[in-house]
Amino acid sequence: MPAPAFLEPWQLRAAFARSLSDMYGKEVPAYTTLLDVSHEVNADFVTQHGADAERLGSIARVTAERHGAIRVGTPTEMAQVARIFGAMGMRPVGFYDLRDASSSSVPVISTAFRPIERSELARNPFRVFTSMLVTADRRFFTADLEQRLENFLGARTLFGPELLALADRAEAEGGLPEDQAAEFLRLATAAFELSAEPVDQAWYRELEAVSAVAADIGGIASTHINHLTPRVLDIDDLYARMEARGITMIDAIQGPPDWEGPDVLLRQTSFRALAEPRTFRTADGEIISDALRVRFGEVEARGIALTRAGRAAYDAAVVEIDEAAAAARADDPGFTEAQRQQLARAVWQKTFPTTEAALADQELGWFTYEPVVEPVETQVSTGSTRESRVPAVVRQPIVYEDFLPRSAAGIFQSNLTSDGAKDASQEGTERDADWMAGALGRDLNDPFDLYADQVARSLTAAAETLGVDPATLTTTHRTTGATR
Ligand code: OOG
Ligand code: NI
């Protein structure tokens, strides 16, 4: 089949995800090991579980699935990122404030760029968690440091005019001709490579004393992708296999515990950033080589998206586990991660039902409804049955496409060389979803609204196909097939 002469946004997105993955594999070899192990885990899972393995996404989707993370400094840079991802059909979704989600100094707020339509997600679900510094926040930066940071950030160019012009053109025209697409992909990938430019040592170290994240963002004149995360179908298996290969993982898998009920939201783990050689310019102009740990490897397993009620239950469960674990640790300093997991499982068992059906009935999880026409056998007279057909719907879980602030903070934290300094006596700067939308110059999508919309659309479509009232669909026409 000849290559297409024009690439649509989803094709740019899929090609960009591949291109970044190739680049990152060259730059961070442990990432390649992570991919190999992920493929093994997924292949074995599919062999063991058959069609059930694909309940939360086809194996083709899951194998290609990645999320990346980038960090920028200013609203201007954030708006430019939105244009580049906009060209690939990726929209900003959700507002995450990591300043309070972590005990370490993480002075950023974030959103995630991702496709929002179901059909687009199925084509390629590539998403990028994008964080920006809050330089005005006095808990982290003095007025003097804020000013010098702003000067530094204002003087740099992360994304050149050619890249931005191609991005705007792709967005306006619904894609790019092949040659321009190739150039766009080349420039976009290069914008996220690790720069070989010498780092100003004094400036980097000054920021690092406040926050390693601030130094990573504002201490250098470029940005870089700091991890690229594959998705696995069994993260406990992956964790064990990575350790068996001699790669040290962080202590815990973030998010829900391993338990007997349905997987919800997101579970993640990572290996620590590796020391990579970098050159520095010292205060007296000398170029020296040293190392920085900025890029790491993360992996994730995705579960069912939770409704607002489900999410509130999740958040409460997390607090309960934290408090119980802190108390247990105070009693017994030898309290282990395995014991914490055990405790987490117990909290989960009283918070969440063990079946998908109950998760749906209690309106804790999001599900779509697909029409089916079920044959029903009726006894007509002795020894003979007649088959009639009734309209029915099968319930399908919606996979969680977003992130968790708590886990994100844990991921940031596990990779910091020091906690930095945070002056809790100062007032934090107010930032919210509206502020972020203003910085982006675009609508910021609410994840809950997107899931709710997906459910509503599935019900309308199913009702139309079956010729019944959508309001009665889930209660009267639910098929017995969906009994998980
Ligand atoms: C982003 C960390 C958040 C996730 O998966 O929760 C993230 C970062 O380190 O810049 O990627
Ligand atoms: Ni991540």
Side-chain angles (χ1 to χ4, degrees), residues 67 69 71 129 131 226-227 268 296 298 403 407-408 411-412:
H67 86 247
R71 305 162 177 176
F129 192 87
S131 304
N226 68 52
H227 64 275
Q268 301 178 309
F296 54 96
E298 183 191 53
F403 293 87
S407 305
I411 296 291
F412 266 104

Side-chain angles (χ1 to χ4, degrees), residues 101-112:
S102 167
S103 54
S104 307
S105 184
V106 179
V108 301
I109 53 175
S110 317
T111 188

